Amino acid sequence: NFTVPEDLSAYDGVELRVKGDGRRYKLIIRTSYEWDTIGYTASFDTTKGEWQSVRIPFSSLIPVFRARTATDAPPFDASNITALQLMFSKFEYDGKLNPTFAEGQFELPFSSIRAYINEPITPRFVHVSSAGVTRPERPGLDLSKQPPAVRMNKELGSILTYKLKACDLY
């Protein structure tokens, strides 16, 4: 349980890094602090003895209440995650049994649980700065000792000079 809800709305899902034991587990994500409520659930299989990364897209989560699909549940809200739960359950969904379930001890070591964004990531903005760039028209400047952008300023349509003058307005 999280003390304060986590906002993962900027992400596409959750990635688990687990060492499998050949069994099927569930990831349950909760969006309410109430005890007996809907959990947004996805099952995943593990490979015995192997570390693996398991990606669970938020879009694949099934709203479940006591191992039954909740058809009247509100849509999953990634901006209000109150708890994460890993479960080894006898039941899948709607009365179906987990084919890998066996009574007794089990172990699912994990090294990380993180939110992920699908690639490629499209930047929302690009910051362009002239900080640290030498003024290309400065008297006595030895262009041969300057970075390529400064040496090529004239070929680039004097973009550095224009940008530096624009910055000087502020």
Side-chain angles (χ1 to χ4, degrees), residues 125-130:
F125 69 92
V126 176
H127 178 85
V128 179
S129 172
S130 63

Coordinates of all heavy atoms in Angstrom, one line a residue, residues 125-130:
F125 N 8.9 18.7 -25.7 CA 9.5 20.0 -26.0 C 11.0 19.7 -26.2 O 11.6 18.8 -25.7 CB 9.3 21.1 -25.0 CG 10.0 20.8 -23.7 CD1 11.2 21.4 -23.5 CD2 9.4 20.1 -22.7 CE1 11.9 21.1 -22.3 CE2 10.0 19.8 -21.5 CZ 11.3 20.4 -21.3
V126 N 11.7 20.6 -26.9 CA 13.1 20.6 -27.1 C 13.7 21.9 -26.6 O 13.2 23.0 -27.1 CB 13.5 20.3 -28.6 CG1 15.0 20.4 -28.8 CG2 12.9 19.0 -29.1
H127 N 14.6 21.9 -25.7 CA 15.2 23.1 -25.2 C 16.5 23.3 -26.0 O 17.4 22.5 -26.1 CB 15.6 22.8 -23.7 CG 16.2 24.0 -23.1 ND1 15.6 25.1 -22.6 CD2 17.6 24.3 -22.9 CE1 16.4 26.0 -22.1 NE2 17.6 25.5 -22.3
V128 N 16.6 24.5 -26.6 CA 17.8 24.9 -27.3 C 18.4 26.1 -26.5 O 17.7 27.0 -26.2 CB 17.4 25.4 -28.7 CG1 18.6 25.8 -29.5 CG2 16.7 24.2 -29.5
S129 N 19.7 26.0 -26.3 CA 20.3 27.1 -25.5 C 21.7 27.5 -26.2 O 22.3 26.6 -26.8 CB 20.6 26.5 -24.1 OG 21.4 27.4 -23.4
S130 N 22.0 28.7 -26.0 CA 23.3 29.2 -26.5 C 24.3 29.3 -25.3 O 25.3 29.9 -25.4 CB 23.2 30.5 -27.2 OG 22.7 31.5 -26.3

